[in-house]
Amino acid sequence: MSKPADGKAVIIGISGPSSSGKTTLARLLQRVFCGVNLKPKDTHLNTFIIHEDDFYFPDDKIPYTTTRTGAKIQDWDTAAAIDIPFLSQALHYVRENGTLPPRLRSKEDQNYQTHSGVSDEVVQKLRDEVDARLRGEAAADSTANPTVSFLEGFLLFAPPGQERHVLRSVSDAIHLRLFLPAPYELVKARREGRNGYVTVGPAPQPPVHTHDTAGAGAGGEGAGGKTRTEVDLDAEDDRPPQNFWVDPPGYVDDIVWPQYVIDHSWLLIAEDGDKEEKGESKDQEKADLVRRVGDGTRARTDVGVEVAPGYGREGMDVVLRWAVELILGYYLDQT
């Protein structure tokens, strides 16, 4: 777990590969925690969700990469596609003010939503438990942190000891880090079953350059992201009109999964045998790492990240209860 909470909000980070259930879990947690009673009497917990997808650069700023077949396509699964300084600034605003910046208007809820698989009865039972424990004698005065924000996204955490890591400012703004592993087969099936994603900004122009996916991801220090001026978070959202992105054929195998493995190589456990040999190309090294990680469900538990039970194969009801217990424990420890 992270350092004790300060400011006016506790930020819970929920990360994992594409289609691992991050958004679903965040929405369920909001249903469980939103508005429950606190001490002193007549104080209620405020909650909201922050979607990392709302911090993508406009369509015409998304970088291009070259696939194994030589095709040039946009890469939405690299740190270079995310406005990381904007995200970091927004998280610090939340911590200091306990509210979502007026500037941030989410487009994520316009995307296709699947059923959570958790019944209303289970959600209500957990909500009743949370309410009782936060009102109980064991809970101290909770007015110091009356807000809990659930931040969900595919690139949120930085490895310990890498102070110059591209995600350091984001990772350090998170109080409790939850990770949802998911096997490759599940990620592929769910991602390819989606009908697309709402995006913002001018339509992309034909590619004028490519980027090295292995070098521009979150796996290396100082990699990825773009420099931008500070955003006025209190202003209205003036981003351009919305567009729609649909994954091209083979996108999961060419981009999504290998980039996820590279960016989380510090967290995922790979087999030690048959490591890459010196002199291999970056593409060969990447393919070797993907092979050694296997289905990608084994994650370390000694790097400040809480890993969901079941290696990505438990039902959402089990994952939800696990998350509720961790958040309750953290919140009560800080109040």
Side-chain angles (χ1 to χ4, degrees):
M1 293 186 184
S2 183
K3 56 190 176 184
D6 56 0
K8 296 182 180 179
V10 172
I11 297 179
I12 310 299
I14 305 170
S15 196
S18 175
S19 307
S20 59
K22 303 180 295 296
T23 306
T24 298
L25 178 60
R27 288 172 175 151
L28 285 168
L29 288 170
Q30 186 178 38
R31 290 177 60 193
V32 169
F33 282 91
C34 183
V36 296
N37 296 295
L38 301 172
K39 291 184 68 177
K41 189 177 179 181
D42 298 327
T43 304
H44 303 279
L45 190 65
N46 176 46
T47 68
F48 53 85
I49 300 173
I50 304 173
H51 304 282
E52 186 178 33
D53 283 4
D54 288 324
F55 295 86
Y56 272 112
F57 283 109
D59 287 30
D60 61 337
K61 303 299 183 184
I62 301 299
Y64 281 82
T65 190
T66 303
T67 67
R68 293 172 296 178
T69 63
K72 292 182 179 180
I73 61 173
Q74 286 188 297
D75 184 354
W76 292 81
D77 288 75
T78 174
I82 301 291
D83 191 340
I84 294 172
F86 181 18
L87 173 57
S88 178
Q89 186 183 345
L91 295 181
H92 283 90
Y93 182 102
V94 168
R95 287 176 62 136
E96 292 173 4
N97 297 279
T99 61
L100 197 64
R103 171 83 181 187
L104 195 59
R105 185 173 58 195
S106 178
K107 59 181 172 50
E108 173 61 28
D109 290 338
Q110 300 179 52
N111 287 323
Y112 177 72
Q113 299 180 32
T114 58
H115 188 271
S116 69
V118 180
S119 69
D120 292 341
E121 290 76 16
V122 169
V123 172
Q124 187 59 51
K125 181 179 179 180
L126 287 172
R127 183 176 172 83
D128 292 341
E129 293 177 11
V130 168
D131 185 82
R133 289 176 64 179
L134 290 181
R135 284 189 294 109
E137 293 299 322
D141 188 333
S142 302
T143 56
N145 295 114
T147 296
V148 174
S149 176
F150 304 106
L151 166 66
E152 62 89 14
F154 72 108
L155 279 176
L156 296 180
F157 308 147
Q162 293 189 23
E163 294 305 316
R164 296 180 57 209
H165 192 277
V166 66
L167 293 172
R168 175 54 58 198
S169 61
V170 172
S171 188
D172 285 352
I174 299 170
H175 295 101
L176 179 62
R177 303 175 185 90
L178 310 182
F179 186 74
L180 310 184
Y184 159 77
E185 295 84 359
L186 182 63
V187 169
K188 182 177 175 66
R190 286 180 175 175
R191 178 75 182 239
E192 292 183 347
R194 292 182 174 179
N195 59 0
Y197 303 86
V198 173
T199 64
V200 298
Q205 300 297 317
V208 295
H209 69 279
T210 62
H211 76 280
D212 184 344
T213 303
E221 294 193 4
K226 291 183 176 67
T227 302
R228 64 168 295 151
T229 57
E230 189 168 320
V231 177
D232 182 0
L233 295 176
D234 290 311
E236 291 298 319
D237 189 345
D238 61 356
R239 285 175 292 182
Q242 294 173 340
N243 302 305
F244 199 72
W245 161 267
V246 178
D247 289 345
Y251 189 74
V252 172
D253 290 315
D254 286 339
I255 305 296
V256 175
W257 187 255
Q259 190 64 45
Y260 159 69
V261 171
I262 292 167
D263 289 338
H264 296 85
S265 58
W266 60 276
L267 179 59
L268 299 176
I269 299 174
E271 296 179 0
D272 292 330
D274 299 322
K275 290 186 178 180
E276 68 274 7
E277 298 180 0
K278 292 183 179 180
E280 284 188 337
S281 68
K282 288 186 177 181
D283 285 343
Q284 289 172 322
E285 291 178 5
K286 179 170 63 176
D288 181 74
L289 179 59
V290 171
R291 176 182 60 80
R292 290 190 293 114
V293 163
D295 69 359
T297 58
R298 296 174 299 167
R300 295 174 59 181
T301 57
D302 60 347
V303 287
V305 176
E306 302 288 343
V307 180
Y311 301 101
R313 293 181 172 84
E314 288 286 2
M316 184 53 71
D317 55 338
V318 175
V319 175
L320 175 61
R321 176 166 287 280
W322 162 81
V324 167
E325 287 297 324
L326 283 174
I327 294 168
L328 262 179
Y330 181 84
Y331 187 84
L332 292 173
D333 283 346
Q334 309 309 314
T335 56

